[in-house]
Amino acid sequence: MLQSFARYFEFEKLGTNWRTEILAGVTTFVTMAYIVLVNPAILADAGVPLPAVTAATCLSAAFGSILMGVVARYPLALAPGMGLNAYFAYTVCIKMHVPWQTALGAVFISGVVFLLLTGVGIRQMILRAIPHELYAAVAGGIGLFIAFIGFQRAGLVVRDPATLVGLGNIRSPTAYLSLLGLVVMTALEVKKVRGSILIGVLTITGLAWAMGTVHWTPTPGGMAALTQTAFKLDIRGALNKGLLEIIFVFFFVDLFDNLGTLVAVTKRAGLLAPDHTIPRLNRILFADATATVVGSLTGTSTVTSYVESTAGVAAGGRSGVTAIVTGLLFLGAIGFAPFIGIVPTAATAPALILVGSLMAATITEIPWADPLVAVPAFLTLVTIPLTYSIANGLGFGIIAWALLHLLTGRIRRQDWLLYILAALFLARFIYMGNG
């Protein structure tokens, strides 16, 4: 049976094995397990019952990741998206006074729209319309983005009222343990040790507990709590004319955040085809859209692909088994949610910094001597981390690419969809500016 599974997941073709895939799945889970604590805390501010949304977070992440692994066979883990959950809670529910049940209805509708667009091939057309040079910029930008997140979690980068950001306190336990973790992980990576990131995470976790620097508070959870949110969504209320813009935002941001993450992970794993296309793209998009629909039914915000999947890829994950292992661990987390916090941020922060540095290698594929390509690529590269949004970075890049090609007379008839995307992004930025 194991041999049959190995053939289905193409272990031989991908140069991987069970041990590597399992370690990679555990690595991905460890680096994104924070979502089990963070997502419920955010949605609870909107009135969603905390124990229920904790279970919904775990269940939707498990379903999405396992579906991605089985159907699409990619090492891509899914969970309720950061940013979208904050929009759900603080903008839609709190600022606009929309009940969380109605907001869940909007998430459900956006997921159904995803499925329909995937079925007729529009999402696939959008992905193909993006120039492959911007793929490299997106991957590099996401590398800087997750490294920046890692620096923040480590306490190495902090807010500064004068310069926006500044250097944190290097002498704090979280900061110096994170730096030590980065050294350990990098040294193991240089020596080609399998599971180097996971070994580093476990090492720093042990040190942090031994030093007494971990302050862990159990959180509520359990499958029984799901009755408070499961199938409580208000679809009819979400179809109200005034809420169409909310559905559009859920749809638009998730579409491009997901596409950006998808490009970054497949590129880092070496899974892009020679013509820069992504094999089994339909299955990937189907899994993502279905996970969002299921997430809304269980009681959580939009489910999307996670950039932390690159940590599992860096650990050697190449097949869907990586995502399945991550999903199974999320499933187990429903019962063990109170114990998720035992891994400190000092252990996961260096993993994000290391993976981010490895992803930055893609920028060497950009022809920097050609301003027609270099400027859109640079804007994509820097605005992803600086605006804390993959969608914003991709938007700046696509608009710049379209304008420069238009102004220099390099416009081509086959690029019509790219110009439509540029116009949509421009309209979105103008709308946000007026908001």
mmCIF file with all atom_site columns, all heavy atoms in Angstrom, residues 319-343:
data_model
loop_
_atom_site.group_PDB
_atom_site.id
_atom_site.type_symbol
_atom_site.label_atom_id
_atom_site.label_alt_id
_atom_site.label_comp_id
_atom_site.label_asym_id
_atom_site.label_entity_id
_atom_site.label_seq_id
_atom_site.pdbx_PDB_ins_code
_atom_site.Cartn_x
_atom_site.Cartn_y
_atom_site.Cartn_z
_atom_site.occupancy
_atom_site.B_iso_or_equiv
_atom_site.pdbx_formal_charge
_atom_site.auth_seq_id
_atom_site.auth_comp_id
_atom_site.auth_asym_id
_atom_site.auth_atom_id
_atom_site.pdbx_PDB_model_num
ATOM 1   N N   . SER A 1 319 ? 5.796   16.760 -2.198 1.00 0.00 ? 319 SER A N   1
ATOM 2   C CA  . SER A 1 319 ? 4.546   16.138 -2.635 1.00 0.00 ? 319 SER A CA  1
ATOM 3   C C   . SER A 1 319 ? 3.383   16.518 -1.725 1.00 0.00 ? 319 SER A C   1
ATOM 4   O O   . SER A 1 319 ? 3.543   17.226 -0.726 1.00 0.00 ? 319 SER A O   1
ATOM 5   C CB  . SER A 1 319 ? 4.691   14.615 -2.658 1.00 0.00 ? 319 SER A CB  1
ATOM 6   O OG  . SER A 1 319 ? 4.565   14.083 -1.358 1.00 0.00 ? 319 SER A OG  1
ATOM 7   N N   . GLY A 1 320 ? 2.211   15.996 -2.072 1.00 0.00 ? 320 GLY A N   1
ATOM 8   C CA  . GLY A 1 320 ? 1.024   16.257 -1.278 1.00 0.00 ? 320 GLY A CA  1
ATOM 9   C C   . GLY A 1 320 ? 1.058   15.648 0.103  1.00 0.00 ? 320 GLY A C   1
ATOM 10  O O   . GLY A 1 320 ? 0.278   16.051 0.980  1.00 0.00 ? 320 GLY A O   1
ATOM 11  N N   . VAL A 1 321 ? 1.962   14.705 0.326  1.00 0.00 ? 321 VAL A N   1
ATOM 12  C CA  . VAL A 1 321 ? 2.058   14.082 1.647  1.00 0.00 ? 321 VAL A CA  1
ATOM 13  C C   . VAL A 1 321 ? 2.416   15.124 2.706  1.00 0.00 ? 321 VAL A C   1
ATOM 14  O O   . VAL A 1 321 ? 1.938   15.068 3.841  1.00 0.00 ? 321 VAL A O   1
ATOM 15  C CB  . VAL A 1 321 ? 3.090   12.933 1.638  1.00 0.00 ? 321 VAL A CB  1
ATOM 16  C CG1 . VAL A 1 321 ? 3.313   12.389 3.048  1.00 0.00 ? 321 VAL A CG1 1
ATOM 17  C CG2 . VAL A 1 321 ? 2.620   11.807 0.719  1.00 0.00 ? 321 VAL A CG2 1
ATOM 18  N N   . THR A 1 322 ? 3.254   16.085 2.340  1.00 0.00 ? 322 THR A N   1
ATOM 19  C CA  . THR A 1 322 ? 3.609   17.167 3.259  1.00 0.00 ? 322 THR A CA  1
ATOM 20  C C   . THR A 1 322 ? 2.358   17.887 3.747  1.00 0.00 ? 322 THR A C   1
ATOM 21  O O   . THR A 1 322 ? 2.175   18.117 4.951  1.00 0.00 ? 322 THR A O   1
ATOM 22  C CB  . THR A 1 322 ? 4.550   18.174 2.571  1.00 0.00 ? 322 THR A CB  1
ATOM 23  O OG1 . THR A 1 322 ? 5.787   17.529 2.258  1.00 0.00 ? 322 THR A OG1 1
ATOM 24  C CG2 . THR A 1 322 ? 4.836   19.368 3.465  1.00 0.00 ? 322 THR A CG2 1
ATOM 25  N N   . ALA A 1 323 ? 1.475   18.251 2.820  1.00 0.00 ? 323 ALA A N   1
ATOM 26  C CA  . ALA A 1 323 ? 0.240   18.950 3.179  1.00 0.00 ? 323 ALA A CA  1
ATOM 27  C C   . ALA A 1 323 ? -0.691  18.056 3.991  1.00 0.00 ? 323 ALA A C   1
ATOM 28  O O   . ALA A 1 323 ? -1.349  18.523 4.927  1.00 0.00 ? 323 ALA A O   1
ATOM 29  C CB  . ALA A 1 323 ? -0.465  19.437 1.916  1.00 0.00 ? 323 ALA A CB  1
ATOM 30  N N   . ILE A 1 324 ? -0.734  16.764 3.649  1.00 0.00 ? 324 ILE A N   1
ATOM 31  C CA  . ILE A 1 324 ? -1.597  15.824 4.382  1.00 0.00 ? 324 ILE A CA  1
ATOM 32  C C   . ILE A 1 324 ? -1.143  15.699 5.830  1.00 0.00 ? 324 ILE A C   1
ATOM 33  O O   . ILE A 1 324 ? -1.965  15.713 6.755  1.00 0.00 ? 324 ILE A O   1
ATOM 34  C CB  . ILE A 1 324 ? -1.604  14.449 3.693  1.00 0.00 ? 324 ILE A CB  1
ATOM 35  C CG1 . ILE A 1 324 ? -2.298  14.545 2.331  1.00 0.00 ? 324 ILE A CG1 1
ATOM 36  C CG2 . ILE A 1 324 ? -2.304  13.399 4.562  1.00 0.00 ? 324 ILE A CG2 1
ATOM 37  C CD1 . ILE A 1 324 ? -2.165  13.312 1.473  1.00 0.00 ? 324 ILE A CD1 1
ATOM 38  N N   . VAL A 1 325 ? 0.161   15.581 6.044  1.00 0.00 ? 325 VAL A N   1
ATOM 39  C CA  . VAL A 1 325 ? 0.698   15.481 7.405  1.00 0.00 ? 325 VAL A CA  1
ATOM 40  C C   . VAL A 1 325 ? 0.354   16.743 8.194  1.00 0.00 ? 325 VAL A C   1
ATOM 41  O O   . VAL A 1 325 ? -0.082  16.680 9.350  1.00 0.00 ? 325 VAL A O   1
ATOM 42  C CB  . VAL A 1 325 ? 2.227   15.252 7.383  1.00 0.00 ? 325 VAL A CB  1
ATOM 43  C CG1 . VAL A 1 325 ? 2.823   15.384 8.783  1.00 0.00 ? 325 VAL A CG1 1
ATOM 44  C CG2 . VAL A 1 325 ? 2.544   13.880 6.805  1.00 0.00 ? 325 VAL A CG2 1
ATOM 45  N N   . THR A 1 326 ? 0.532   17.900 7.567  1.00 0.00 ? 326 THR A N   1
ATOM 46  C CA  . THR A 1 326 ? 0.170   19.159 8.224  1.00 0.00 ? 326 THR A CA  1
ATOM 47  C C   . THR A 1 326 ? -1.305  19.175 8.595  1.00 0.00 ? 326 THR A C   1
ATOM 48  O O   . THR A 1 326 ? -1.689  19.556 9.704  1.00 0.00 ? 326 THR A O   1
ATOM 49  C CB  . THR A 1 326 ? 0.479   20.357 7.302  1.00 0.00 ? 326 THR A CB  1
ATOM 50  O OG1 . THR A 1 326 ? 1.868   20.336 6.951  1.00 0.00 ? 326 THR A OG1 1
ATOM 51  C CG2 . THR A 1 326 ? 0.152   21.674 7.993  1.00 0.00 ? 326 THR A CG2 1
ATOM 52  N N   . GLY A 1 327 ? -2.153  18.723 7.662  1.00 0.00 ? 327 GLY A N   1
ATOM 53  C CA  . GLY A 1 327 ? -3.585  18.674 7.915  1.00 0.00 ? 327 GLY A CA  1
ATOM 54  C C   . GLY A 1 327 ? -3.957  17.739 9.051  1.00 0.00 ? 327 GLY A C   1
ATOM 55  O O   . GLY A 1 327 ? -4.806  18.068 9.889  1.00 0.00 ? 327 GLY A O   1
ATOM 56  N N   . LEU A 1 328 ? -3.312  16.583 9.102  1.00 0.00 ? 328 LEU A N   1
ATOM 57  C CA  . LEU A 1 328 ? -3.585  15.626 10.182 1.00 0.00 ? 328 LEU A CA  1
ATOM 58  C C   . LEU A 1 328 ? -3.197  16.207 11.538 1.00 0.00 ? 328 LEU A C   1
ATOM 59  O O   . LEU A 1 328 ? -3.874  15.975 12.545 1.00 0.00 ? 328 LEU A O   1
ATOM 60  C CB  . LEU A 1 328 ? -2.839  14.311 9.923  1.00 0.00 ? 328 LEU A CB  1
ATOM 61  C CG  . LEU A 1 328 ? -3.353  13.477 8.744  1.00 0.00 ? 328 LEU A CG  1
ATOM 62  C CD1 . LEU A 1 328 ? -2.432  12.280 8.499  1.00 0.00 ? 328 LEU A CD1 1
ATOM 63  C CD2 . LEU A 1 328 ? -4.785  13.003 8.995  1.00 0.00 ? 328 LEU A CD2 1
ATOM 64  N N   . LEU A 1 329 ? -2.107  16.959 11.555 1.00 0.00 ? 329 LEU A N   1
ATOM 65  C CA  . LEU A 1 329 ? -1.685  17.596 12.807 1.00 0.00 ? 329 LEU A CA  1
ATOM 66  C C   . LEU A 1 329 ? -2.683  18.673 13.230 1.00 0.00 ? 329 LEU A C   1
ATOM 67  O O   . LEU A 1 329 ? -2.952  18.844 14.429 1.00 0.00 ? 329 LEU A O   1
ATOM 68  C CB  . LEU A 1 329 ? -0.279  18.183 12.652 1.00 0.00 ? 329 LEU A CB  1
ATOM 69  C CG  . LEU A 1 329 ? 0.846   17.141 12.548 1.00 0.00 ? 329 LEU A CG  1
ATOM 70  C CD1 . LEU A 1 329 ? 2.171   17.801 12.179 1.00 0.00 ? 329 LEU A CD1 1
ATOM 71  C CD2 . LEU A 1 329 ? 0.986   16.367 13.853 1.00 0.00 ? 329 LEU A CD2 1
ATOM 72  N N   . PHE A 1 330 ? -3.228  19.406 12.271 1.00 0.00 ? 330 PHE A N   1
ATOM 73  C CA  . PHE A 1 330 ? -4.278  20.378 12.599 1.00 0.00 ? 330 PHE A CA  1
ATOM 74  C C   . PHE A 1 330 ? -5.522  19.666 13.120 1.00 0.00 ? 330 PHE A C   1
ATOM 75  O O   . PHE A 1 330 ? -6.188  20.165 14.034 1.00 0.00 ? 330 PHE A O   1
ATOM 76  C CB  . PHE A 1 330 ? -4.637  21.219 11.370 1.00 0.00 ? 330 PHE A CB  1
ATOM 77  C CG  . PHE A 1 330 ? -3.818  22.468 11.231 1.00 0.00 ? 330 PHE A CG  1
ATOM 78  C CD1 . PHE A 1 330 ? -2.980  22.647 10.142 1.00 0.00 ? 330 PHE A CD1 1
ATOM 79  C CD2 . PHE A 1 330 ? -3.890  23.472 12.185 1.00 0.00 ? 330 PHE A CD2 1
ATOM 80  C CE1 . PHE A 1 330 ? -2.221  23.791 10.011 1.00 0.00 ? 330 PHE A CE1 1
ATOM 81  C CE2 . PHE A 1 330 ? -3.134  24.636 12.063 1.00 0.00 ? 330 PHE A CE2 1
ATOM 82  C CZ  . PHE A 1 330 ? -2.291  24.790 10.974 1.00 0.00 ? 330 PHE A CZ  1
ATOM 83  N N   . LEU A 1 331 ? -5.818  18.506 12.558 1.00 0.00 ? 331 LEU A N   1
ATOM 84  C CA  . LEU A 1 331 ? -6.960  17.730 13.023 1.00 0.00 ? 331 LEU A CA  1
ATOM 85  C C   . LEU A 1 331 ? -6.752  17.307 14.476 1.00 0.00 ? 331 LEU A C   1
ATOM 86  O O   . LEU A 1 331 ? -7.651  17.405 15.304 1.00 0.00 ? 331 LEU A O   1
ATOM 87  C CB  . LEU A 1 331 ? -7.146  16.496 12.125 1.00 0.00 ? 331 LEU A CB  1
ATOM 88  C CG  . LEU A 1 331 ? -8.505  15.797 12.159 1.00 0.00 ? 331 LEU A CG  1
ATOM 89  C CD1 . LEU A 1 331 ? -9.610  16.744 11.736 1.00 0.00 ? 331 LEU A CD1 1
ATOM 90  C CD2 . LEU A 1 331 ? -8.476  14.576 11.247 1.00 0.00 ? 331 LEU A CD2 1
ATOM 91  N N   . GLY A 1 332 ? -5.530  16.855 14.770 1.00 0.00 ? 332 GLY A N   1
ATOM 92  C CA  . GLY A 1 332 ? -5.201  16.488 16.139 1.00 0.00 ? 332 GLY A CA  1
ATOM 93  C C   . GLY A 1 332 ? -5.215  17.679 17.073 1.00 0.00 ? 332 GLY A C   1
ATOM 94  O O   . GLY A 1 332 ? -5.499  17.546 18.273 1.00 0.00 ? 332 GLY A O   1
ATOM 95  N N   . ALA A 1 333 ? -4.948  18.853 16.507 1.00 0.00 ? 333 ALA A N   1
ATOM 96  C CA  . ALA A 1 333 ? -4.903  20.063 17.334 1.00 0.00 ? 333 ALA A CA  1
ATOM 97  C C   . ALA A 1 333 ? -6.270  20.448 17.879 1.00 0.00 ? 333 ALA A C   1
ATOM 98  O O   . ALA A 1 333 ? -6.357  21.228 18.829 1.00 0.00 ? 333 ALA A O   1
ATOM 99  C CB  . ALA A 1 333 ? -4.326  21.222 16.524 1.00 0.00 ? 333 ALA A CB  1
ATOM 100 N N   . ILE A 1 334 ? -7.343  19.906 17.291 1.00 0.00 ? 334 ILE A N   1
ATOM 101 C CA  . ILE A 1 334 ? -8.681  20.212 17.804 1.00 0.00 ? 334 ILE A CA  1
ATOM 102 C C   . ILE A 1 334 ? -8.797  19.750 19.259 1.00 0.00 ? 334 ILE A C   1
ATOM 103 O O   . ILE A 1 334 ? -9.325  20.450 20.110 1.00 0.00 ? 334 ILE A O   1
ATOM 104 C CB  . ILE A 1 334 ? -9.772  19.523 16.949 1.00 0.00 ? 334 ILE A CB  1
ATOM 105 C CG1 . ILE A 1 334 ? -9.751  20.094 15.540 1.00 0.00 ? 334 ILE A CG1 1
ATOM 106 C CG2 . ILE A 1 334 ? -11.154 19.715 17.588 1.00 0.00 ? 334 ILE A CG2 1
ATOM 107 C CD1 . ILE A 1 334 ? -10.716 19.418 14.592 1.00 0.00 ? 334 ILE A CD1 1
ATOM 108 N N   . GLY A 1 335 ? -8.266  18.567 19.529 1.00 0.00 ? 335 GLY A N   1
ATOM 109 C CA  . GLY A 1 335 ? -8.289  18.051 20.895 1.00 0.00 ? 335 GLY A CA  1
ATOM 110 C C   . GLY A 1 335 ? -7.165  18.569 21.750 1.00 0.00 ? 335 GLY A C   1
ATOM 111 O O   . GLY A 1 335 ? -7.269  18.622 22.973 1.00 0.00 ? 335 GLY A O   1
ATOM 112 N N   . PHE A 1 336 ? -6.054  18.959 21.092 1.00 0.00 ? 336 PHE A N   1
ATOM 113 C CA  . PHE A 1 336 ? -4.879  19.399 21.845 1.00 0.00 ? 336 PHE A CA  1
ATOM 114 C C   . PHE A 1 336 ? -4.633  20.899 21.715 1.00 0.00 ? 336 PHE A C   1
ATOM 115 O O   . PHE A 1 336 ? -3.525  21.362 21.953 1.00 0.00 ? 336 PHE A O   1
ATOM 116 C CB  . PHE A 1 336 ? -3.640  18.634 21.371 1.00 0.00 ? 336 PHE A CB  1
ATOM 117 C CG  . PHE A 1 336 ? -3.657  17.184 21.734 1.00 0.00 ? 336 PHE A CG  1
ATOM 118 C CD1 . PHE A 1 336 ? -4.155  16.238 20.833 1.00 0.00 ? 336 PHE A CD1 1
ATOM 119 C CD2 . PHE A 1 336 ? -3.215  16.743 22.968 1.00 0.00 ? 336 PHE A CD2 1
ATOM 120 C CE1 . PHE A 1 336 ? -4.186  14.891 21.160 1.00 0.00 ? 336 PHE A CE1 1
ATOM 121 C CE2 . PHE A 1 336 ? -3.233  15.402 23.306 1.00 0.00 ? 336 PHE A CE2 1
ATOM 122 C CZ  . PHE A 1 336 ? -3.732  14.467 22.402 1.00 0.00 ? 336 PHE A CZ  1
ATOM 123 N N   . ALA A 1 337 ? -5.679  21.639 21.317 1.00 0.00 ? 337 ALA A N   1
ATOM 124 C CA  . ALA A 1 337 ? -5.539  23.093 21.147 1.00 0.00 ? 337 ALA A CA  1
ATOM 125 C C   . ALA A 1 337 ? -4.936  23.793 22.370 1.00 0.00 ? 337 ALA A C   1
ATOM 126 O O   . ALA A 1 337 ? -4.142  24.726 22.225 1.00 0.00 ? 337 ALA A O   1
ATOM 127 C CB  . ALA A 1 337 ? -6.889  23.716 20.797 1.00 0.00 ? 337 ALA A CB  1
ATOM 128 N N   . PRO A 1 338 ? -5.277  23.364 23.589 1.00 0.00 ? 338 PRO A N   1
ATOM 129 C CA  . PRO A 1 338 ? -4.682  24.038 24.755 1.00 0.00 ? 338 PRO A CA  1
ATOM 130 C C   . PRO A 1 338 ? -3.162  23.947 24.811 1.00 0.00 ? 338 PRO A C   1
ATOM 131 O O   . PRO A 1 338 ? -2.514  24.741 25.502 1.00 0.00 ? 338 PRO A O   1
ATOM 132 C CB  . PRO A 1 338 ? -5.312  23.295 25.938 1.00 0.00 ? 338 PRO A CB  1
ATOM 133 C CG  . PRO A 1 338 ? -6.593  22.756 25.408 1.00 0.00 ? 338 PRO A CG  1
ATOM 134 C CD  . PRO A 1 338 ? -6.286  22.378 23.992 1.00 0.00 ? 338 PRO A CD  1
ATOM 135 N N   . PHE A 1 339 ? -2.559  22.976 24.068 1.00 0.00 ? 339 PHE A N   1
ATOM 136 C CA  . PHE A 1 339 ? -1.120  22.762 24.167 1.00 0.00 ? 339 PHE A CA  1
ATOM 137 C C   . PHE A 1 339 ? -0.343  23.361 22.998 1.00 0.00 ? 339 PHE A C   1
ATOM 138 O O   . PHE A 1 339 ? 0.880   23.238 22.933 1.00 0.00 ? 339 PHE A O   1
ATOM 139 C CB  . PHE A 1 339 ? -0.822  21.261 24.251 1.00 0.00 ? 339 PHE A CB  1
ATOM 140 C CG  . PHE A 1 339 ? -1.509  20.580 25.398 1.00 0.00 ? 339 PHE A CG  1
ATOM 141 C CD1 . PHE A 1 339 ? -2.682  19.866 25.184 1.00 0.00 ? 339 PHE A CD1 1
ATOM 142 C CD2 . PHE A 1 339 ? -1.008  20.671 26.687 1.00 0.00 ? 339 PHE A CD2 1
ATOM 143 C CE1 . PHE A 1 339 ? -3.336  19.245 26.238 1.00 0.00 ? 339 PHE A CE1 1
ATOM 144 C CE2 . PHE A 1 339 ? -1.660  20.060 27.741 1.00 0.00 ? 339 PHE A CE2 1
ATOM 145 C CZ  . PHE A 1 339 ? -2.828  19.346 27.524 1.00 0.00 ? 339 PHE A CZ  1
ATOM 146 N N   . ILE A 1 340 ? -1.061  23.994 22.043 1.00 0.00 ? 340 ILE A N   1
ATOM 147 C CA  . ILE A 1 340 ? -0.392  24.532 20.860 1.00 0.00 ? 340 ILE A CA  1
ATOM 148 C C   . ILE A 1 340 ? 0.659   25.575 21.233 1.00 0.00 ? 340 ILE A C   1
ATOM 149 O O   . ILE A 1 340 ? 1.694   25.697 20.605 1.00 0.00 ? 340 ILE A O   1
ATOM 150 C CB  . ILE A 1 340 ? -1.424  25.140 19.890 1.00 0.00 ? 340 ILE A CB  1
ATOM 151 C CG1 . ILE A 1 340 ? -2.312  24.032 19.311 1.00 0.00 ? 340 ILE A CG1 1
ATOM 152 C CG2 . ILE A 1 340 ? -0.755  25.913 18.772 1.00 0.00 ? 340 ILE A CG2 1
ATOM 153 C CD1 . ILE A 1 340 ? -1.569  23.050 18.438 1.00 0.00 ? 340 ILE A CD1 1
ATOM 154 N N   . GLY A 1 341 ? 0.408   26.322 22.289 1.00 0.00 ? 341 GLY A N   1
ATOM 155 C CA  . GLY A 1 341 ? 1.295   27.417 22.657 1.00 0.00 ? 341 GLY A CA  1
ATOM 156 C C   . GLY A 1 341 ? 2.601   27.017 23.310 1.00 0.00 ? 341 GLY A C   1
ATOM 157 O O   . GLY A 1 341 ? 3.363   27.889 23.725 1.00 0.00 ? 341 GLY A O   1
ATOM 158 N N   . ILE A 1 342 ? 2.881   25.711 23.413 1.00 0.00 ? 342 ILE A N   1
ATOM 159 C CA  . ILE A 1 342 ? 4.122   25.300 24.077 1.00 0.00 ? 342 ILE A CA  1
ATOM 160 C C   . ILE A 1 342 ? 5.353   25.612 23.239 1.00 0.00 ? 342 ILE A C   1
ATOM 161 O O   . ILE A 1 342 ? 6.468   25.651 23.757 1.00 0.00 ? 342 ILE A O   1
ATOM 162 C CB  . ILE A 1 342 ? 4.106   23.794 24.444 1.00 0.00 ? 342 ILE A CB  1
ATOM 163 C CG1 . ILE A 1 342 ? 4.042   22.926 23.193 1.00 0.00 ? 342 ILE A CG1 1
ATOM 164 C CG2 . ILE A 1 342 ? 2.960   23.480 25.387 1.00 0.00 ? 342 ILE A CG2 1
ATOM 165 C CD1 . ILE A 1 342 ? 4.165   21.434 23.479 1.00 0.00 ? 342 ILE A CD1 1
ATOM 166 N N   . VAL A 1 343 ? 5.178   25.822 21.910 1.00 0.00 ? 343 VAL A N   1
ATOM 167 C CA  . VAL A 1 343 ? 6.304   26.202 21.049 1.00 0.00 ? 343 VAL A CA  1
ATOM 168 C C   . VAL A 1 343 ? 6.375   27.728 21.019 1.00 0.00 ? 343 VAL A C   1
ATOM 169 O O   . VAL A 1 343 ? 5.468   28.382 20.519 1.00 0.00 ? 343 VAL A O   1
ATOM 170 C CB  . VAL A 1 343 ? 6.133   25.654 19.616 1.00 0.00 ? 343 VAL A CB  1
ATOM 171 C CG1 . VAL A 1 343 ? 7.310   26.094 18.743 1.00 0.00 ? 343 VAL A CG1 1
ATOM 172 C CG2 . VAL A 1 343 ? 6.032   24.132 19.632 1.00 0.00 ? 343 VAL A CG2 1
#
